[in-house]
């Protein structure tokens, strides 16, 4: 995300799946937002989501989440470092093979994400030369609170 090159400007851009949390350094966030701003039309809009420090500390951090679905299953183990505000998670996936429905293939991944506060993210957006318009809680669709 830190290297964004387009051939023109866009009316809107979107990033989802907590992608901004994969930027572990504050300067990476600002650089990415500056790149987005470069390619947005003057009245363009950038929509993104991110996990807050609160979510890592109280919801995800040091938990294991498992789901068993028809097409596959997963184990998602979280380890949160409060001092660094980094969440490491190990993801183990068991995905059903299409041609052999009784066979599942195992995949393992390790991800690192950093939590940011809403105030930090607002500052980053402004440092990148954009205006922060609104924030919404994913669950309630209302303005975020200190607990969300």
């Amino acid at each position: 995300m830190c290297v964004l090159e387009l051939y023109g400007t866009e009316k809107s851009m979107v990033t989802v799946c907590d992608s901004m949390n994969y930027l572990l350094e504050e300067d990476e966030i600002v650089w990415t937002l500056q790149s987005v701003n470069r390619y947005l039309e003057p009245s363009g809009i950038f929509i993104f989501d991110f996990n807050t420090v609160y979510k890592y500390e109280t919801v995800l951090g040091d938990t294991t989440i498992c789901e068993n679905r028809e097409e596959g299953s997963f184990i998602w183990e979280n380890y949160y470092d409060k001092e660094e505000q980094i969440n490491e998670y190990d993801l183990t996936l068991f995905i059903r093979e299409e041609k052999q429905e009784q066979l599942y293939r195992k995949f393992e991944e390790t991800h690192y994400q950093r939590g940011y506060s809403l105030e930090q993210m607002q500052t980053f957006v402004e440092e990148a030369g954009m205006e922060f318009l609104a924030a919404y809680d994913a669950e309630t669709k209302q303005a975020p609170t200190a607990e969300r």
Side-chain angles (χ1 to χ4, degrees):
M1 288 189 302
C2 292
V3 180
L4 177 65
E5 294 185 29
L6 302 175
Y7 293 105
T9 59
E10 301 294 333
K11 292 180 182 178
S12 63
M13 292 187 199
V14 177
T15 181
V16 295
C17 298
D18 313 318
S19 297
M20 300 299 277
N21 293 101
Y22 283 97
L23 301 170
L24 303 180
E25 302 295 331
E26 293 180 4
D27 61 334
E28 291 177 326
I29 294 247
V30 173
W31 176 259
T32 299
L33 291 168
Q34 288 170 336
S35 294
V36 167
N37 192 28
R38 242 188 327 276
Y39 292 106
L40 273 179
E41 292 184 6
S43 61
I45 187 166
F46 177 49
I47 299 170
F48 64 95
D49 66 339
F50 71 98
N51 287 327
T52 61
V53 171
Y54 175 85
K55 184 172 181 179
Y56 288 119
E57 287 180 354
T58 62
V59 179
L60 289 178
D62 300 319
T63 63
T64 299
I65 302 166
C66 303
E67 278 194 30
N68 188 22
R69 300 180 182 176
E70 188 170 319
E71 67 278 5
S73 302
F74 69 84
I75 304 168
W76 173 9
E77 299 173 277
N78 293 278
Y79 312 97
Y80 184 66
D81 181 330
K82 192 171 184 174
E83 184 176 314
E84 296 292 324
Q85 297 179 321
I86 301 287
N87 190 64
E88 172 186 345
Y89 67 90
D90 295 325
L91 186 59
T92 305
L93 303 160
F94 301 91
I95 307 298
R96 179 181 292 177
E97 290 289 316
E98 288 184 27
K99 294 181 181 177
Q100 297 178 355
E101 291 190 18
Q102 300 303 320
L103 179 65
Y104 289 79
R105 188 166 305 277
K106 180 181 178 182
F107 299 91
E108 295 179 296
E109 303 175 353
T110 299
H111 295 248
Y112 298 91
Q113 295 183 334
R114 181 172 177 198
Y116 296 98
S117 69
L118 177 59
E119 294 76 18
Q120 283 177 298
M121 202 56 77
Q122 288 172 318
T123 299
F124 300 149
V125 167
E126 291 166 3
E127 284 180 27
M130 293 188 281
E131 178 184 0
F132 190 94
L133 298 177
Y136 300 99
D137 175 69
E139 301 289 324
T140 66
K141 310 298 187 261
Q142 302 296 315
T145 65
E147 289 79 35
R148 291 199 162 261

